[in-house]
Amino acid sequence: MEDSAQYALSQEDERKSLLDSSHSQSSPAHDGKQRWVVQFPPKWDRALSQFDDIVIEKAQYFHRSHLGLRGKVGVCVELFNQLVTLWTTIEVGFVAPLFFYTVGHDALAGWFSALAFTTAIFTQIPKRFIYRKRPYLWMPPRALMCRNDRTSSFPSRAVVCAFVYTFAVVAAVLHVHTFSTILNITIMAASIFVAVLLTSYARVNFGVHFPSDCAAGVILGCVISLVGYGLHAAAVAACSSCLEATCYTDGQVASALTAESFSLGAANWPALVTGTCVSFLLTILCMIPPLEFWSKCTHFFGLLTPCIVFHLSFLCPTLSRKYASLSPPRLPHGTDWLVAITVVGIATGLGWFGRSRKKLWQRFAFFVVLYALILAWLVSWRLLAFK
């Protein structure tokens, strides 16, 4: 009995020493060039290690077994992981407002704009300033490498996105098909639980996150959903509600923006100019040293901020000097959905290409082009074609 107890203690001491030594080693993802980065506390890693390592071992069973990924089950698991990773990327939140504005679902576009903006900022703050090695980067590795992600492991942005996206979709559905309060809460909680559980399994199975990263993602997702909901409610209160059609002109206002007159004089030009200047300034501040907030900032701001500025300038009559806004959109046709998918695909491609440029001025130039194209597209599409 004493021998087994001593062996367990020696194993635990060995685990702690390995954790300490791995913390002292450098990582190719964190070479000290970025300022204001702190390491994830080693004592937290030690406290969480037993839980994390056990769950990782169970989650990666099919990778560690003799079947590997060559077995049918392993292939299915790999495909599942890829699909989950695809729909929980932050880029989905970037393009959702553009898609919904293109098909005329302005209420959904405004709802997703608030949540996407909050998600992007709130998840990048810990990613930028707190560094935790991916499980497969430890020496020895604490997980098998199935995907090459080199940014900070903490927290799991995929889990955050799974939480927020599910909250956004279910809230929108329940607003139209509402039930009793208890049933609404049950549906919301169950949907989020399933989405978070499946996403957490996929990320841990890939070896790119610790289970504790996923738990932190759940907490952060809850905070973001509450903040995003409050931000959207404040925007509706200050502006107007597209869900209740109060953000549109009734067609009788003399200064209404209509395709017949095609006069932009009634647009909220102060909001347009101010929003554009703020978007450009934020992008520059996030790009340049010493902050270097995010490599995706030109992609993020280039896709999302023109949608926000479009709403403030053309769908917010309370802020307009002449109380003008766009007319209510018609119901989308089949071709409108195809157009929206095409526009989103082109915008995403431009964003990816622009953010891959090495020089700052090149990335900023692509941001300016992307911003101008999306804003011009939304205005021209809604004034000329979508009526």
Side-chain angles (χ1 to χ4, degrees), residues 168-245:
V169 172
V170 174
V173 172
L174 290 179
H175 188 88
V176 178
H177 305 284
T178 187
F179 305 98
S180 65
T181 302
I182 296 178
L183 185 56
N184 286 344
I185 294 175
T186 302
I187 292 174
M188 177 67 78
S191 301
I192 291 176
F193 175 79
V194 171
V196 164
L197 183 65
L198 295 178
T199 305
S200 298
Y201 172 79
R203 302 304 288 173
V204 174
N205 181 269
F206 261 151
V208 294
H209 281 301
F210 293 103
S212 51
D213 297 329
C214 300
V218 173
I219 297 172
L220 189 56
C222 183
V223 173
I224 289 172
S225 298
L226 294 175
V227 173
Y229 178 85
L231 184 63
H232 178 256
V236 170
C239 194
S240 50
S241 174
C242 290
L243 187 63
E244 299 174 358

Side-chain angles (χ1 to χ4, degrees), residues 105-148:
H105 287 293
D106 300 324
L108 280 176
W111 171 234
F112 274 92
S113 293
L115 287 172
F117 189 88
T118 309
T119 301
I121 298 298
F122 275 51
T123 56
Q124 186 56 23
I125 290 174
K127 286 278 189 183
R128 167 62 178 84
F129 299 108
I130 303 175
Y131 182 75
R132 188 185 193 187
K133 285 184 180 180
R134 300 280 181 176
Y136 63 84
L137 287 175
W138 287 69
M139 295 301 292
R142 297 171 64 183
L144 297 177
M145 179 179 173
C146 304
R147 182 182 171 91
N148 189 19

Side-chain angles (χ1 to χ4, degrees), residues 355-369:
R355 88 184 203 198
S356 65
R357 302 301 90 191
K358 294 183 178 181
K359 295 184 179 180
L360 289 178
W361 71 267
Q362 291 176 330
R363 296 195 341 242
F364 182 73
F366 268 95
F367 157 76
V368 173
V369 171

Side-chain angles (χ1 to χ4, degrees), residues 5 17 120 158 164 181 204 234 245 261 269 288 310 323 371 385:
S17 64
V164 176
T181 302
V204 174
S261 63
W269 285 100
I288 62 175
F310 168 77
Y323 204 82
Y371 180 95

Side-chain angles (χ1 to χ4, degrees), residues 97-98 100-101 104-114 231-232 234-248 257 267-268 271-272 275 304-320 324-326 371 374-375 378-379 382:
L98 174 60
F100 287 121
Y101 278 127
H105 287 293
D106 300 324
L108 280 176
W111 171 234
F112 274 92
S113 293
L231 184 63
H232 178 256
V236 170
C239 194
S240 50
S241 174
C242 290
L243 187 63
E244 299 174 358
T246 58
C247 71
Y248 306 113
L257 296 172
N268 190 351
L272 181 62
L304 198 55
T305 54
C307 295
I308 297 174
V309 172
F310 168 77
H311 191 105
L312 293 175
S313 304
F314 295 93
L315 290 171
C316 191
T318 57
L319 296 181
S320 174
S325 71
L326 293 171
Y371 180 95
I374 291 178
L375 188 57
L378 290 175
V379 174
R382 293 294 293 271

Side-chain angles (χ1 to χ4, degrees), residues 35-50:
R35 298 177 61 184
W36 309 315
V37 178
V38 297
Q39 291 284 343
F40 190 82
K43 62 180 181 180
W44 291 8
D45 259 322
R46 287 195 296 269
L48 296 167
S49 62
Q50 190 169 6

